[in-house]
Amino acid sequence: MREKGEPAEAVLKEIEARLSRDLTFNSGKILGSMCTSPHELARQVYAKFLEKNLGDPGLFPATAQLENEVIQMLGALLSHPQALGNIVTGGTEANVLAMWAFKNSRTKNGGEIIVPVSAHCSFDKAADLLGFKIVRVGLNSRFQVDVEEVRRAVSPRTVALVGIAGTTGLGVVDPIPELSEIAQENGLLLHVDAAFGGFVLPFLKELGYEAPEFDFQLPGVCSITIDPHKMGLAPIPAGGILFRDFELKRKVTWRVPYLAGGETEQSTFVGSRSGASVIAVWALLKHLGREGYRKIVERCMRLTWKLAEEVRQIDGLDIMTEPVTNVIGIKSESANIKRVAEALRRLGWAVALFPRHIRIVVMPHIREEHLEKFLQDLKRVIIELKG
Ligand code: 0PR
């Protein structure tokens, strides 16, 4: 920092110039992200309420009330309007909070959690923080967790199971009904990570797609992660953690007596936290309604299937598995997939690279013409890499 400041206008100009190197969602070039360009209403609302701090809810009781309503609306979306929880910084914090509540409710010295190999790295962070040992379980031919392997992995040290509804790599859904049964039979806790799928799966049935069960309707499900800043179109940071009942949430609740707004409780990892995020999510749920989100999911799913069919036609390429949500994994017999991703990046496309595939997430910012251009480039890249 210099001694003398610069005029705001000069600073803004420098920022514009410096940040022009960043990719933008509107360009249609970001194909591998699970985030998107925030909805216009959410942008307005977010910018307007930047001073709201839900770490001190006594100062902002009306904002805190909106958070309760958001949790109730998300609970209803997940078949349990009485669910309790918070809007948090993202799926990572949500998953850590679930594991933290599980730890405090069952054990003081760790134990084991059974986690699919397809799980997001936030479970590794949680296990490291909380002293859990992760027991990793493999996948079946549809890249869902292998239920028989889960059964065999259960031991007297097991505390909890994790299932994923919309996996990071391929967007598929683990057999949550079976996991729910295993959890109940063995007295285990079950967390469902629907960070991505939470805003997609509830609409699939009405749209005529296969719609796997994953939510609180299944009696073994104790907690669910659902992120507004992914398919909910909300600005970052906005993740969601929902607990089935008060007993679990209580395990991650701390009294904070000395705040300006008066004594309160905090049930999040962070203290000071964005009220603007919460108000933006509230605005979107009110404005879009189920119908609005269903239309968004409809478009994303239609483009997903179209892309999947087109990729299958390309010589040397195939999809990893049929899409369940708006995620496609592309693999190649003829070309090294890392080289494919690098060549695409040189042409401006940002896809996500996994060990055996590239991931395309057909988010709301992606339009048909973007995918047409992408397919042209993809075909070119495959031919070049073959030759
Ligand atoms: N659970 C699942 C199933 C996820 O896929 C992710 C992140 C998380 C939890 C953690 O969410 P937060 O990142 O909100 O803490 N999935 C994305 C991924 O790894 C995150 C992401 C988003 C990555 C945008 C890149 C990107 O551009 O792909």
Side-chain angles (χ1 to χ4, degrees):
M1 188 161 50
R2 299 220 183 102
E3 175 59 24
K4 259 199 157 332
E6 297 167 48
E9 218 167 277
V11 174
L12 284 173
K13 228 173 130 184
E14 183 176 346
I15 289 174
E16 290 284 343
R18 295 279 296 274
L19 297 190
S20 63
R21 232 164 26 89
D22 286 355
L23 300 192
T24 62
F25 288 109
N26 286 337
S27 69
K29 292 281 193 176
I30 302 181
L31 299 181
S33 172
M34 284 189 167
C35 293
T36 191
S37 184
H39 189 283
E40 185 51 40
L41 174 65
R43 286 172 188 267
Q44 283 174 31
V45 168
Y46 188 93
K48 199 166 170 183
F49 299 111
L50 289 175
E51 70 177 39
K52 310 287 191 189
N53 174 12
L54 281 172
D56 195 349
L59 295 182
F60 308 103
T63 305
Q65 173 61 29
L66 293 193
E67 183 176 35
N68 291 338
E69 292 180 25
V70 165
I71 295 303
Q72 202 186 350
M73 287 189 268
L74 294 180
L77 188 64
L78 303 175
S79 309
H80 185 42
Q82 292 82 30
L84 300 154
N86 286 100
I87 293 302
V88 294
T89 50
T92 298
E93 187 182 352
N95 288 338
V96 168
L97 280 167
M99 295 303 109
W100 197 357
F102 286 6
K103 176 186 168 243
N104 287 349
S105 94
R106 287 296 160 94
T107 160
K108 279 289 157 203
N109 41 17
E112 294 177 357
I113 51 175
I114 297 177
V115 179
V117 293
S118 51
H120 184 257
C121 64
S122 44
F123 292 100
D124 298 286
K125 295 181 183 176
D128 193 42
L129 270 174
L130 300 166
F132 276 131
K133 181 180 167 222
I134 292 194
V135 176
R136 273 171 225 283
V137 176
L139 311 180
N140 64 23
S141 60
R142 294 186 71 192
F143 301 95
Q144 304 165 294
V145 73
D146 182 326
V147 173
E148 286 316 308
E149 216 182 299
V150 173
R151 278 187 207 283
R152 287 196 298 273
V154 173
S155 84
R157 296 174 299 282
T158 310
V159 171
L161 310 178
V162 170
I164 312 158
T167 59
T168 302
L170 292 166
V172 299
V173 180
D174 287 329
I176 312 292
E178 280 89 338
L179 294 183
S180 168
E181 272 176 33
I182 298 172
Q184 292 213 297
E185 282 164 18
N186 295 279
L188 303 172
L189 298 160
L190 169 61
H191 174 68
V192 174
D193 181 359
F196 181 75
F199 274 93
V200 179
L201 299 166
F203 306 107
L204 290 183
K205 195 172 186 177
E206 298 154 42
L207 295 170
Y209 292 99
E210 174 199 346
E213 287 180 83
F214 75 104
D215 69 11
F216 286 115
Q217 259 177 55
L218 302 167
V221 174
C222 302
S223 53
I224 303 181
T225 291
I226 171 173
D227 284 358
H229 74 200
K230 295 189 170 75
M231 280 296 286
L233 275 72
I236 298 165
I241 178 65
L242 269 66
F243 293 104
R244 180 185 289 276
D245 52 47
F246 177 69
E247 273 310 297
L248 262 181
K249 186 176 181 239
R250 197 168 63 81
K251 300 291 179 187
V252 283
T253 299
W254 275 263
R255 289 214 72 76
V256 188
Y258 53 80
L259 299 179
E263 178 166 342
T264 190
E265 287 179 343
Q266 291 182 350
S267 312
T268 52
F269 191 85
V270 297
S272 293
R273 61 193 179 96
S274 168
S277 283
V278 170
I279 305 167
V281 174
W282 189 90
L284 288 181
L285 297 176
K286 280 287 220 194
H287 175 63
L288 290 170
R290 287 188 64 99
E291 183 190 40
Y293 279 112
R294 191 187 313 118
K295 280 184 179 156
I296 290 162
V297 170
E298 194 212 330
R299 221 185 118 261
C300 292
M301 288 302 293
R302 187 167 47 76
L303 291 182
T304 299
W305 274 96
K306 187 156 191 274
L307 179 63
E309 296 303 340
E310 306 237 10
V311 167
R312 273 175 165 164
Q313 311 285 315
I314 300 173
D315 222 19
L317 289 183
D318 203 353
I319 56 172
M320 293 285 282
T321 185
E322 293 212 330
V324 178
T325 56
N326 44 325
V327 180
I328 297 173
I330 303 177
K331 64 178 177 179
S332 177
E333 297 273 292
S334 59
N336 176 317
I337 204 67
K338 184 157 180 261
R339 297 283 110 72
V340 177
E342 286 164 359
L344 288 169
R345 186 60 199 248
R346 282 193 291 276
L347 295 169
W349 301 104
V351 297
L353 178 63
F354 285 76
R356 285 171 51 218
H357 71 277
I358 53 180
R359 177 189 79 184
I360 307 293
V361 192
V362 184
M363 292 297 291
H365 61 271
I366 296 172
R367 294 197 300 270
E368 198 152 354
E369 59 264 33
H370 300 138
L371 293 179
E372 275 159 19
K373 282 197 193 120
F374 170 69
L375 281 164
Q376 283 169 11
D377 281 350
L378 182 62
K379 283 176 197 161
R380 245 176 60 202
V381 162
I382 286 297
I383 291 168
E384 276 168 23
L385 287 176
K386 255 196 271 184

